[in-house]
Protein backbone atom coordinates (compact mmCIF):
# COMPACT_ATOMS: atom_id res chain seq x y z
CA UNK A 1 0.00 0.00 0.00
CA UNK A 2 1.23 3.54 -0.81
CA UNK A 3 2.37 5.17 2.42
CA UNK A 4 0.79 8.51 3.41
CA UNK A 5 2.68 9.82 6.42
CA UNK A 6 2.08 12.52 9.03
CA UNK A 7 5.27 13.55 10.84
CA UNK A 8 5.09 15.40 14.17
CA UNK A 9 7.93 17.57 15.51
CA UNK A 10 9.37 17.63 11.99
CA UNK A 11 11.43 20.83 12.36
CA UNK A 12 13.80 19.38 14.97
CA UNK A 13 17.17 17.67 14.54
CA UNK A 14 15.75 14.41 13.19
CA UNK A 15 12.60 15.70 11.49
CA UNK A 16 14.44 18.23 9.35
CA UNK A 17 16.24 15.35 7.62
CA UNK A 18 13.70 12.56 8.06
CA UNK A 19 10.94 14.59 6.36
CA UNK A 20 13.11 15.10 3.28
CA UNK A 21 14.22 11.43 3.36
CA UNK A 22 10.58 10.29 3.50
CA UNK A 23 9.52 12.72 0.74
CA UNK A 24 12.29 11.35 -1.47
CA UNK A 25 11.20 7.77 -0.68
CA UNK A 26 7.38 8.11 -0.80
CA UNK A 27 6.73 11.35 -2.76
CA UNK A 28 6.44 14.97 -1.56
CA UNK A 29 2.63 15.04 -1.38
CA UNK A 30 2.51 11.78 0.60
CA UNK A 31 4.48 13.20 3.53
CA UNK A 32 2.72 15.80 5.69
CA UNK A 33 5.13 17.67 7.93
CA UNK A 34 4.01 19.32 11.18
CA UNK A 35 5.48 21.09 14.17
CA UNK A 36 4.38 23.20 17.13
CA UNK A 37 5.71 26.40 15.58
CA UNK A 38 7.06 27.43 12.18
CA UNK A 39 10.86 27.68 12.02
CA UNK A 40 13.33 28.90 9.45
CA UNK A 41 13.51 25.56 7.59
CA UNK A 42 12.08 26.45 4.13
CA UNK A 43 13.23 23.16 2.58
CA UNK A 44 10.89 21.17 4.85
CA UNK A 45 8.04 23.70 5.04
CA UNK A 46 7.84 24.34 1.30
CA UNK A 47 8.68 21.02 -0.40
CA UNK A 48 5.34 19.45 0.58
CA UNK A 49 2.33 19.92 2.88
CA UNK A 50 3.08 21.56 6.26
CA UNK A 51 0.71 22.02 9.23
CA UNK A 52 1.04 23.61 12.65
CA UNK A 53 0.23 20.98 15.28
CA UNK A 54 0.61 20.79 19.05
CA UNK A 55 0.65 17.05 19.78
CA UNK A 56 -0.96 17.61 23.18
CA UNK A 57 -4.09 18.65 21.23
CA UNK A 58 -5.54 15.22 20.39
CA UNK A 59 -8.57 16.66 18.59
CA UNK A 60 -6.43 18.65 16.15
CA UNK A 61 -4.13 15.66 15.60
CA UNK A 62 -7.17 13.50 14.70
CA UNK A 63 -8.51 16.20 12.35
CA UNK A 64 -5.19 16.48 10.49
CA UNK A 65 -4.83 12.69 10.18
CA UNK A 66 -8.31 12.53 8.63
CA UNK A 67 -7.91 15.67 6.49
CA UNK A 68 -4.81 14.22 4.82
CA UNK A 69 -6.05 10.59 4.91
CA UNK A 70 -2.75 9.37 6.34
CA UNK A 71 -2.06 5.69 7.06
CA UNK A 72 1.18 6.22 9.05
CA UNK A 73 2.32 8.59 11.81
CA UNK A 74 6.00 9.20 12.48
CA UNK A 75 5.93 10.77 15.92
CA UNK A 76 9.03 12.83 16.70
CA UNK A 77 7.67 15.66 18.86
CA UNK A 78 9.28 15.40 22.30
CA UNK A 79 11.27 17.21 24.97
CA UNK A 80 14.78 15.75 25.22
CA UNK A 81 16.86 14.84 28.26
CA UNK A 82 18.63 18.12 29.12
CA UNK A 83 15.58 20.36 28.68
CA UNK A 84 13.45 17.64 30.30
CA UNK A 85 15.41 17.94 33.57
CA UNK A 86 14.94 21.73 33.50
CA UNK A 87 11.21 21.39 32.71
CA UNK A 88 10.03 17.94 33.88
CA UNK A 89 6.31 18.88 33.86
CA UNK A 90 6.55 20.01 30.23
CA UNK A 91 8.49 16.84 29.31
CA UNK A 92 5.79 14.68 30.93
CA UNK A 93 2.97 16.52 29.17
CA UNK A 94 4.49 16.55 25.67
CA UNK A 95 6.12 13.11 25.77
CA UNK A 96 3.32 11.16 27.47
CA UNK A 97 0.14 12.94 26.35
CA UNK A 98 1.53 13.54 22.85
CA UNK A 99 2.26 9.84 22.36
CA UNK A 100 -1.04 8.78 23.91
CA UNK A 101 -2.89 11.07 21.47
CA UNK A 102 -0.94 9.58 18.53
CA UNK A 103 -1.75 6.02 19.66
CA UNK A 104 -5.44 6.82 20.13
CA UNK A 105 -5.70 8.27 16.60
CA UNK A 106 -3.85 5.22 15.29
CA UNK A 107 -6.22 2.87 17.14
CA UNK A 108 -9.32 4.65 15.85
CA UNK A 109 -8.16 4.88 12.23
CA UNK A 110 -5.94 1.78 11.94
CA UNK A 111 -2.67 3.66 11.30
CA UNK A 112 0.93 2.45 11.48
CA UNK A 113 3.05 4.31 14.08
CA UNK A 114 6.81 4.83 14.33
CA UNK A 115 8.13 6.61 17.41
CA UNK A 116 11.75 6.63 18.56
CA UNK A 117 12.86 5.51 21.97
CA UNK A 118 16.32 6.24 23.32
CA UNK A 119 19.41 5.11 25.21
CA UNK A 120 17.78 7.17 28.00
CA UNK A 121 15.47 4.24 28.88
CA UNK A 122 18.34 2.66 30.81
CA UNK A 123 19.55 3.63 34.26
CA UNK A 124 22.47 3.28 36.63
CA UNK A 125 21.60 -0.38 37.43
CA UNK A 126 21.54 -1.47 33.77
CA UNK A 127 24.58 -3.44 32.52
CA UNK A 128 26.74 -0.74 30.89
CA UNK A 129 28.66 -2.80 28.33
CA UNK A 130 26.89 -4.69 25.56
CA UNK A 131 23.64 -3.57 27.16
CA UNK A 132 21.14 -6.30 26.26
CA UNK A 133 17.91 -5.72 24.35
CA UNK A 134 15.86 -6.97 27.30
CA UNK A 135 17.31 -5.83 30.61
CA UNK A 136 16.78 -3.63 33.69
CA UNK A 137 15.22 -0.25 32.82
CA UNK A 138 15.14 2.10 35.81
CA UNK A 139 16.01 5.54 34.35
CA UNK A 140 16.57 8.52 36.64
CA UNK A 141 15.42 11.31 34.29
CA UNK A 142 11.90 12.44 33.39
CA UNK A 143 12.89 11.98 29.73
CA UNK A 144 13.90 8.36 30.43
CA UNK A 145 10.73 7.71 32.44
CA UNK A 146 8.57 8.95 29.54
CA UNK A 147 10.58 6.93 27.00
CA UNK A 148 10.25 3.64 28.94
CA UNK A 149 6.54 4.35 29.38
CA UNK A 150 6.34 5.07 25.65
CA UNK A 151 7.90 1.71 24.80
CA UNK A 152 5.37 -0.04 27.04
CA UNK A 153 2.42 1.97 25.69
CA UNK A 154 3.39 1.12 22.10
CA UNK A 155 3.63 -2.57 23.03
CA UNK A 156 0.24 -2.33 24.76
CA UNK A 157 -1.49 -0.74 21.76
CA UNK A 158 -0.04 -3.49 19.56
CA UNK A 159 -1.02 -6.46 21.72
CA UNK A 160 -4.35 -5.04 22.94
CA UNK A 161 -5.62 -3.31 19.78
CA UNK A 162 -3.42 -4.64 16.97
CA UNK A 163 -1.95 -1.21 16.17
CA UNK A 164 1.15 -1.63 13.96
CA UNK A 165 3.58 0.17 16.29
CA UNK A 166 7.32 0.13 15.58
CA UNK A 167 10.39 1.81 17.06
CA UNK A 168 14.09 1.85 17.81
CA UNK A 169 16.24 3.10 20.69
CA UNK A 170 18.30 5.79 19.01
CA UNK A 171 21.78 6.52 20.32
CA UNK A 172 22.89 10.19 20.39
CA UNK A 173 22.49 11.41 16.83
CA UNK A 174 25.19 13.38 15.04
CA UNK A 175 24.13 15.55 12.10
CA UNK A 176 24.97 18.73 10.20
CA UNK A 177 21.57 19.89 8.85
CA UNK A 178 19.96 21.03 12.12
CA UNK A 179 21.32 21.59 15.61
CA UNK A 180 20.26 19.18 18.38
CA UNK A 181 17.37 20.21 20.61
CA UNK A 182 18.72 20.08 24.18
CA UNK A 183 19.99 16.58 24.91
CA UNK A 184 22.93 15.07 26.78
CA UNK A 185 24.66 13.80 23.64
CA UNK A 186 24.60 17.27 21.99
CA UNK A 187 28.29 17.83 22.78
CA UNK A 188 29.17 15.41 19.98
CA UNK A 189 27.53 17.79 17.47
CA UNK A 190 28.63 21.15 18.95
CA UNK A 191 32.26 20.00 18.99
CA UNK A 192 32.35 20.02 15.16
CA UNK A 193 31.12 23.62 14.84
CA UNK A 194 33.62 24.90 17.42
CA UNK A 195 36.47 22.83 15.98
CA UNK A 196 36.00 24.47 12.58
CA UNK A 197 35.13 27.97 13.82
CA UNK A 198 37.58 28.31 16.74
CA UNK A 199 39.92 25.28 16.75
CA UNK A 200 38.81 24.68 20.34
CA UNK A 201 35.81 23.18 22.18
CA UNK A 202 34.77 23.09 25.86
CA UNK A 203 32.93 19.84 26.48
CA UNK A 204 30.14 19.69 29.07
CA UNK A 205 30.64 15.90 29.20
CA UNK A 206 33.75 14.60 30.99
CA UNK A 207 36.67 12.68 29.48
CA UNK A 208 36.15 8.93 29.71
CA UNK A 209 32.34 9.08 29.44
CA UNK A 210 31.31 6.58 26.77
CA UNK A 211 27.91 6.79 25.06
CA UNK A 212 26.42 5.20 21.94
CA UNK A 213 26.29 7.61 19.00
CA UNK A 214 25.05 7.35 15.40
CA UNK A 215 25.46 9.42 12.24
CA UNK A 216 22.12 10.71 10.89
CA UNK A 217 22.22 8.82 7.54
CA UNK A 218 22.21 5.55 9.50
CA UNK A 219 19.32 6.77 11.68
CA UNK A 220 17.26 7.64 8.57
CA UNK A 221 18.04 4.25 7.09
CA UNK A 222 16.92 2.55 10.32
CA UNK A 223 13.52 4.29 10.26
CA UNK A 224 12.81 3.17 6.68
CA UNK A 225 14.02 -0.36 7.44
CA UNK A 226 11.88 -0.85 10.55
CA UNK A 227 8.79 0.70 8.90
CA UNK A 228 9.14 -1.71 5.96
CA UNK A 229 10.23 -4.75 8.00
CA UNK A 230 8.23 -7.97 7.71
CA UNK A 231 5.97 -7.89 10.81
CA UNK A 232 6.06 -11.69 11.08
CA UNK A 233 9.78 -11.49 11.90
CA UNK A 234 9.50 -8.76 14.57
CA UNK A 235 9.60 -10.02 18.14
CA UNK A 236 10.41 -6.69 19.80
CA UNK A 237 8.64 -4.11 17.59
CA UNK A 238 9.00 -0.90 19.62
CA UNK A 239 12.33 -0.66 21.29
CA UNK A 240 15.12 -2.16 19.23
CA UNK A 241 18.64 -1.34 20.42
CA UNK A 242 20.50 -0.05 17.36
CA UNK A 243 24.18 0.83 17.49
CA UNK A 244 27.01 1.91 15.22
CA UNK A 245 29.72 3.57 17.33
CA UNK A 246 30.55 4.33 20.94
CA UNK A 247 33.17 6.86 22.02
CA UNK A 248 34.18 9.28 24.77
CA UNK A 249 35.13 12.95 24.16
CA UNK A 250 38.91 12.33 23.88
CA UNK A 251 38.43 9.70 21.16
CA UNK A 252 36.19 12.02 19.17
CA UNK A 253 38.70 14.86 19.58
CA UNK A 254 41.56 12.61 18.41
CA UNK A 255 39.63 11.79 15.24
CA UNK A 256 38.87 15.49 14.60
CA UNK A 257 42.59 16.30 15.13
CA UNK A 258 43.43 14.10 12.15
CA UNK A 259 41.66 16.76 10.03
CA UNK A 260 42.29 19.87 12.19
CA UNK A 261 45.70 19.23 13.86
CA UNK A 262 45.59 22.39 16.00
CA UNK A 263 42.21 21.41 17.56
CA UNK A 264 42.14 21.55 21.38
CA UNK A 265 39.56 19.96 23.66
CA UNK A 266 38.89 21.50 27.09
CA UNK A 267 36.23 20.74 29.70
CA UNK A 268 33.53 22.71 31.52
CA UNK A 269 31.39 19.92 32.95
CA UNK A 270 27.64 20.37 33.33
CA UNK A 271 26.87 18.28 36.46
CA UNK A 272 23.26 17.61 35.42
CA UNK A 273 24.05 16.24 31.97
CA UNK A 274 27.19 14.46 33.25
CA UNK A 275 25.08 12.56 35.78
CA UNK A 276 22.61 11.66 33.05
CA UNK A 277 25.43 10.47 30.74
CA UNK A 278 26.89 8.29 33.50
CA UNK A 279 23.53 6.57 33.97
CA UNK A 280 23.34 5.59 30.27
CA UNK A 281 25.02 2.58 28.60
CA UNK A 282 28.59 2.66 27.32
CA UNK A 283 27.60 0.51 24.37
CA UNK A 284 24.40 -1.32 23.46
CA UNK A 285 24.06 -4.81 22.00
CA UNK A 286 21.95 -4.49 18.84
CA UNK A 287 21.93 -8.17 17.84
CA UNK A 288 18.09 -8.41 17.96
CA UNK A 289 17.73 -5.62 15.36
CA UNK A 290 20.38 -7.33 13.21
CA UNK A 291 18.59 -10.69 13.49
CA UNK A 292 14.96 -9.53 13.19
CA UNK A 293 15.21 -6.93 10.39
CA UNK A 294 18.81 -7.10 9.11
CA UNK A 295 19.93 -3.85 10.76
CA UNK A 296 23.47 -2.85 9.81
CA UNK A 297 25.04 0.64 10.02
CA UNK A 298 27.17 2.20 7.28
CA UNK A 299 29.18 4.73 9.34
CA UNK A 300 31.83 4.21 12.02
CA UNK A 301 33.65 6.99 13.90
CA UNK A 302 36.23 7.89 11.25
CA UNK A 303 33.73 7.88 8.33
CA UNK A 304 31.33 10.02 10.37
CA UNK A 305 33.99 12.60 11.35
CA UNK A 306 35.29 12.89 7.78
CA UNK A 307 31.80 13.45 6.38
CA UNK A 308 30.64 15.83 9.17
CA UNK A 309 33.61 18.15 8.64
CA UNK A 310 33.17 18.04 4.87
CA UNK A 311 29.43 18.77 5.05
CA UNK A 312 29.76 21.61 7.58
CA UNK A 313 32.46 23.27 5.49
CA UNK A 314 30.26 22.89 2.38
CA UNK A 315 27.49 24.56 4.40
CA UNK A 316 29.69 27.61 4.92
CA UNK A 317 30.96 26.97 8.45
CA UNK A 318 34.49 28.46 8.45
CA UNK A 319 37.26 29.58 10.85
CA UNK A 320 36.25 32.84 12.57
P1 LIG B 1 14.34 18.06 18.70
O1 LIG B 1 14.26 18.65 20.05
O2 LIG B 1 15.44 18.49 17.80
O3 LIG B 1 12.98 18.30 17.92
C1 LIG B 1 11.73 18.09 18.54
C2 LIG B 1 10.68 18.88 17.80
O4 LIG B 1 9.45 18.71 18.51
C3 LIG B 1 10.97 20.39 17.76
O5 LIG B 1 10.95 20.85 16.44
C4 LIG B 1 9.84 21.00 18.60
O6 LIG B 1 9.38 22.26 18.08
C5 LIG B 1 8.76 19.95 18.49
N1 LIG B 1 7.80 20.00 19.60
C6 LIG B 1 8.04 20.26 20.91
N2 LIG B 1 6.88 20.28 21.59
C7 LIG B 1 5.91 20.01 20.69
C8 LIG B 1 4.50 19.89 20.78
N3 LIG B 1 3.84 20.07 21.94
N4 LIG B 1 3.80 19.61 19.65
C9 LIG B 1 4.44 19.45 18.47
N5 LIG B 1 5.76 19.58 18.32
C10 LIG B 1 6.48 19.84 19.43
O7 LIG B 1 14.34 16.49 18.88
P2 LIG B 1 14.91 15.37 17.88
O8 LIG B 1 16.34 15.18 18.23
O9 LIG B 1 14.52 15.66 16.51
O10 LIG B 1 14.14 14.09 18.45
C11 LIG B 1 13.01 13.54 17.84
C12 LIG B 1 12.65 12.26 18.56
O11 LIG B 1 13.75 11.37 18.54
C13 LIG B 1 12.29 12.43 20.03
O12 LIG B 1 11.28 11.52 20.38
C14 LIG B 1 13.55 12.06 20.76
O13 LIG B 1 13.30 11.59 22.04
C15 LIG B 1 14.08 10.97 19.86
N6 LIG B 1 15.52 10.76 20.01
C16 LIG B 1 16.40 11.69 19.56
C17 LIG B 1 17.77 11.47 19.72
C18 LIG B 1 18.78 12.47 19.25
O14 LIG B 1 19.98 12.29 19.52
N7 LIG B 1 18.40 13.51 18.53
C19 LIG B 1 18.21 10.28 20.34
C20 LIG B 1 17.27 9.37 20.80
C21 LIG B 1 15.93 9.60 20.60
N1 LIG C 1 20.22 12.50 22.28
C1 LIG C 1 19.19 12.31 23.25
C2 LIG C 1 19.46 13.11 24.47
O1 LIG C 1 20.62 13.32 24.74
C3 LIG C 1 19.10 10.84 23.61
O2 LIG C 1 17.79 10.45 23.55
O3 LIG C 1 18.54 13.50 25.13
Amino acid sequence: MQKKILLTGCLGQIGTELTMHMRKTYGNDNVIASDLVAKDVPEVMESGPFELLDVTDGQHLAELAQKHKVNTIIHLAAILSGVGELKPQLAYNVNMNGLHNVLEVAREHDLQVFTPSSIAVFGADTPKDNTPQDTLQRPSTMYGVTKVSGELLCDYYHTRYGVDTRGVRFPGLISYAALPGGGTTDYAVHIFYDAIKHGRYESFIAAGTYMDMMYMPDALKAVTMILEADPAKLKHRNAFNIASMSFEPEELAAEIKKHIPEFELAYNIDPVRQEIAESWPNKMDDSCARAEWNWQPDYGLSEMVTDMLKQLQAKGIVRE
Side-chain angles (χ1 to χ4, degrees):
M1 197 210 299
Q2 169 67 54
K3 279 205 187 302
K4 188 122 193 206
I5 303 171
L6 172 65
L7 280 117
T8 71
C10 79
L11 300 178
Q13 186 193 9
I14 300 178
T16 298
E17 295 196 54
L18 187 58
T19 305
M20 302 312 292
H21 177 73
M22 289 293 156
R23 284 188 173 150
K24 205 168 149 199
T25 309
Y26 299 112
N28 287 4
D29 292 341
N30 291 322
V31 177
I32 293 86
S34 76
D35 205 302
L36 181 62
V37 287
K39 296 182 191 169
D40 186 21
V41 195
E43 193 186 23
V44 172
M45 292 177 59
E46 291 164 16
S47 61
F50 176 82
E51 301 274 6
L52 289 177
L53 170 65
D54 179 344
V55 293
T56 64
D57 182 348
Q59 181 65 34
H60 192 203
L61 175 63
E63 283 165 12
L64 289 183
Q66 281 177 283
K67 172 182 162 188
H68 291 282
K69 298 187 170 47
V70 300
N71 51 31
T72 304
I73 300 182
I74 295 183
H75 177 49
L76 301 176
I79 304 299
L80 275 74
S81 60
V83 177
E85 284 315 287
L86 296 174
K87 299 176 182 174
Q89 291 75 16
L90 176 70
Y92 182 89
N93 187 27
V94 175
N95 298 6
M96 293 310 307
N97 293 326
L99 176 61
H100 185 244
N101 288 336
V102 166
L103 291 169
E104 274 297 290
V105 172
R107 177 181 69 80
E108 283 168 10
H109 300 285
D110 193 21
L111 313 181
Q112 186 184 40
V113 175
F114 169 85
T115 193
S117 188
S118 162
I119 50 175
V121 295
F122 301 114
D125 303 331
T126 304
K128 289 241 174 302
D129 295 310
N130 293 320
T131 304
Q133 173 68 43
D134 301 308
T135 184
L136 255 179
Q137 292 180 257
R138 305 286 295 173
S140 51
T141 61
M142 179 56 88
Y143 177 65
V145 168
T146 65
K147 286 289 170 187
V148 176
S149 310
E151 291 182 356
L152 294 172
L153 264 182
C154 288
D155 280 348
Y156 181 83
Y157 271 72
H158 175 63
T159 50
R160 175 76 195 261
Y161 300 117
V163 177
D164 185 3
T165 52
R166 301 182 184 208
V168 296
R169 291 176 183 141
F170 277 139
L173 296 182
I174 299 172
S175 66
Y176 55 85
L179 285 167
T184 301
T185 55
D186 295 12
Y187 91 87
V189 178
H190 296 309
I191 192 171
F192 287 96
Y193 286 83
D194 279 14
I196 298 174
K197 286 188 194 168
H198 312 299
R200 186 174 192 281
Y201 177 67
E202 262 188 17
S203 173
F204 60 79
I205 293 296
T209 312
Y210 281 87
M211 285 185 276
D212 277 295
M213 300 281 179
M214 182 173 287
Y215 198 32
M216 188 62 84
D218 275 332
L220 304 181
K221 179 173 109 165
V223 178
T224 315
M225 286 183 80
I226 185 71
L227 275 176
E228 299 286 357
D230 178 355
K233 294 192 178 146
L234 298 183
K235 294 185 198 132
H236 289 88
R237 295 201 79 96
N238 293 303
F240 283 98
N241 286 358
I242 55 169
S244 61
M245 63 186 94
S246 165
F247 54 75
E248 53 89 37
E250 293 291 329
E251 288 173 359
L252 177 56
E255 202 59 44
I256 292 174
K257 262 176 176 289
K258 291 181 186 168
H259 302 262
I260 306 174
E262 69 278 17
F263 176 61
E264 283 176 16
L265 179 59
Y267 292 91
N268 182 8
I269 310 303
D270 170 3
V272 174
R273 284 179 290 183
Q274 181 59 31
E275 196 180 329
I276 295 174
E278 283 171 15
S279 75
W280 290 356
N282 295 336
K283 188 177 187 315
M284 290 188 289
D285 170 9
D286 63 357
S287 52
C288 289
R290 288 174 189 257
E292 292 177 40
W293 46 280
N294 300 324
W295 161 247
Q296 207 174 356
D298 294 326
Y299 289 84
L301 175 59
S302 76
E303 295 88 1
M304 178 274 287
V305 168
T306 303
D307 200 56
M308 267 299 277
L309 291 170
K310 189 176 107 192
Q311 298 290 352
L312 286 175
Q313 279 153 352
K315 210 176 132 175
I317 307 296
V318 290
R319 180 58 60 93
E320 290 177 355

